[in-house]
Amino acid sequence: MQKLVLVAAAPLALAACGDRADEARGVDHGETLLSVSASGQAESRPDRAQFNAGIETFSRSATAASEANAEKVEEIVAALRELGIAEDDIQTQNVSVQRVRWGDRKGQYQASNVFEVTMDDPDNAGAAISAVTEAGANVLSGPSLTMSDPEEVLNTAYADAYAAARGRAEAYAAAAGMEISRVLYIRDAGGQQGGSWVRGAEAMNDAMVERTAPAAPPPPPLAIAPRPQSGSPGMMVGTTRTNVHIQVDFALREK
């Protein structure tokens, strides 16, 4: 049986296989195996912003510290409501009252209330942070910019990767005077979405593990292309790039 192993994109190390291994890979007599690796990309603009805001207050009694804290929290929440943020998007993360046991405030009580704010308009995240700061928030972290449906963007990137693999396979087949007979195997090798790693699918059986080529190295973290946005002091919402990698085995046949 004739066997041709070609690789597109980054070089891949493929183990040589005998007839038994070829059968496990699904190649019939008269067919030639072509293994292609490819990458796909998709870019998307974050449509969600999240940040934590809160207040710490101190007093000689736990009751006074708690009352002062609750008063400031009401002012902070009111400032967010004025920006059109719904109460369902303001979720308490941590509430505590404790006695300070060291430092300049030793012997006093500390009341703390931290909540998470979720916004569907990242352009206004800067304005929201300014508003809670002016209302008295002295605990802040974020914002983090994310996508409400990251899976949709991933699917676009995987479709792009498969199209690239198919195009390369067709080019190889044409150069060898052959054509694609069928797809034997598709391996999801994962990738990266912004600053988050995307885990690929596991190999389906031991035979596939033996002949699976190492995945291409992950791309650099979070790719941002900033551009100014109106009504958002200090905030530049850019583009998040999603990169994924796949390996596809094609069976080729003579034309």
Side-chain angles (χ1 to χ4, degrees), residues 96-188:
S96 66
V97 179
Q98 58 186 346
R99 188 169 186 175
V100 181
R101 302 189 180 278
W102 56 81
D104 296 340
R105 297 183 182 274
K106 182 178 179 180
Q108 295 185 19
Y109 286 86
Q110 177 195 52
S112 175
N113 190 331
V114 179
F115 44 87
E116 182 182 68
V117 181
T118 301
M119 302 180 62
D120 293 330
D121 185 3
D123 291 339
N124 287 329
I129 291 174
S130 296
V132 297
T133 301
E134 292 174 1
N138 55 16
V139 177
L140 287 169
S141 65
S144 61
L145 305 179
T146 60
M147 290 165 288
S148 57
D149 190 2
E151 193 67 22
E152 180 181 0
V153 182
L154 276 172
N155 289 341
T156 300
Y158 277 115
D160 182 61
Y162 180 78
R166 181 87 187 189
R168 289 173 182 146
E170 290 173 350
Y172 277 126
M178 308 180 78
E179 63 183 2
I180 296 175
S181 172
R182 55 205 173 96
V183 175
L184 300 173
Y185 171 74
I186 301 175
R187 176 177 181 260
D188 172 5

Side-chain angles (χ1 to χ4, degrees), residues 7-248:
V7 178
L12 297 179
L14 294 180
C17 302
D19 292 340
R20 189 173 181 181
D22 290 340
E23 290 176 2
R25 297 161 78 172
V27 180
D28 295 336
H29 289 289
E31 290 184 327
T32 298
L33 172 68
L34 170 63
S35 184
V36 179
S37 67
S39 299
Q41 292 187 354
E43 292 192 353
S44 58
R45 188 171 184 274
D47 59 0
R48 174 178 292 174
Q50 291 178 310
F51 65 91
N52 287 345
I55 183 72
E56 290 181 346
T57 53
F58 298 85
S59 184
R60 288 293 178 184
S61 71
T63 300
S66 298
E67 290 176 350
N69 192 276
E71 182 178 340
K72 295 303 296 182
V73 166
E74 289 181 2
E75 295 177 9
I76 294 171
V77 171
L80 291 172
R81 293 293 304 277
E82 288 182 5
L83 292 176
I85 300 175
E87 286 189 9
D88 289 344
D89 293 328
I90 306 172
Q91 298 292 326
T92 299
Q93 298 294 303
N94 180 56
V95 177
S96 66
V97 179
Q98 58 186 346
R99 188 169 186 175
V100 181
R101 302 189 180 278
W102 56 81
D104 296 340
R105 297 183 182 274
K106 182 178 179 180
Q108 295 185 19
Y109 286 86
Q110 177 195 52
S112 175
N113 190 331
V114 179
F115 44 87
E116 182 182 68
V117 181
T118 301
M119 302 180 62
D120 293 330
D121 185 3
D123 291 339
N124 287 329
I129 291 174
S130 296
V132 297
T133 301
E134 292 174 1
N138 55 16
V139 177
L140 287 169
S141 65
S144 61
L145 305 179
T146 60
M147 290 165 288
S148 57
D149 190 2
E151 193 67 22
E152 180 181 0
V153 182
L154 276 172
N155 289 341
T156 300
Y158 277 115
D160 182 61
Y162 180 78
R166 181 87 187 189
R168 289 173 182 146
E170 290 173 350
Y172 277 126
M178 308 180 78
E179 63 183 2
I180 296 175
S181 172
R182 55 205 173 96
V183 175
L184 300 173
Y185 171 74
I186 301 175
R187 176 177 181 260
D188 172 5
Q192 198 157 4
Q193 186 172 61
S196 301
W197 175 250
V198 178
R199 183 177 179 179
E202 300 294 334
M204 295 177 64
N205 55 45
D206 292 341
M208 291 181 178
V209 172
E210 291 176 1
R211 61 87 167 165
T212 297
L222 189 60
I224 293 290
R227 59 178 181 271
Q229 303 294 330
S230 60
S232 180
M235 285 292 298
M236 292 185 293
V237 181
T239 300
T240 298
R241 181 178 299 160
T242 297
N243 292 271
V244 296
H245 312 282
I246 64 172
Q247 179 184 330
V248 185

